[in-house]
Amino acid sequence: MIISFRHKGLQAFFLTGSKAGIQAMHAKRLRELLTALNAARGPQDMARPGWRLHGLVGEREGFHAVTVQANWRLVFRFVGDGVELVDYLDYH
């Protein structure tokens, strides 16, 4: 279950469906990813073909990311059975 968000626009999209704080072209993919993330119990549940799940290193060690589109990623960290600090960002 998603416990917290870093990205306020993503949080609004998840809770209300508002596309104001995200790239509108990513809405369908984000809905799919967030629905799966909300049901996930661990990173392995996000390892689906095409999502390119990967662990992060450096200052983001302990976080995982999946691809939204091109350079855009959904970044998150599992704590117990929950997911926290869900972020939506352009890597480059």
Side-chain angles (χ1 to χ4, degrees):
M1 178 170 66
I2 296 175
I3 300 168
S4 67
F5 287 85
R6 265 192 186 161
H7 192 282
K8 299 301 178 193
L10 187 63
Q11 181 177 14
F13 175 69
F14 179 69
L15 296 174
T16 69
S18 170
K19 297 177 189 172
I22 64 166
Q23 297 284 323
M25 67 183 175
H26 295 161
K28 183 178 178 183
R29 176 71 163 214
L30 284 170
R31 174 66 59 210
E32 180 183 11
L33 292 170
L34 290 170
T35 299
L37 190 59
N38 196 44
R41 297 286 183 211
Q44 69 282 355
D45 294 336
M46 297 299 291
R48 296 185 185 172
W51 288 7
R52 295 185 280 220
L53 173 71
H54 56 282
L56 303 180
V57 295
E59 66 183 44
R60 293 184 189 258
E61 188 170 349
F63 285 81
H64 290 82
V66 290
T67 300
V68 176
Q69 183 183 29
N71 294 334
W72 288 90
R73 303 290 185 269
L74 189 67
V75 178
F76 48 88
R77 176 171 65 187
F78 279 89
V79 288
D81 285 341
V83 181
E84 68 176 4
L85 303 172
V86 180
D87 204 358
Y88 166 64
L89 50 90
D90 183 352
Y91 266 4
H92 301 287

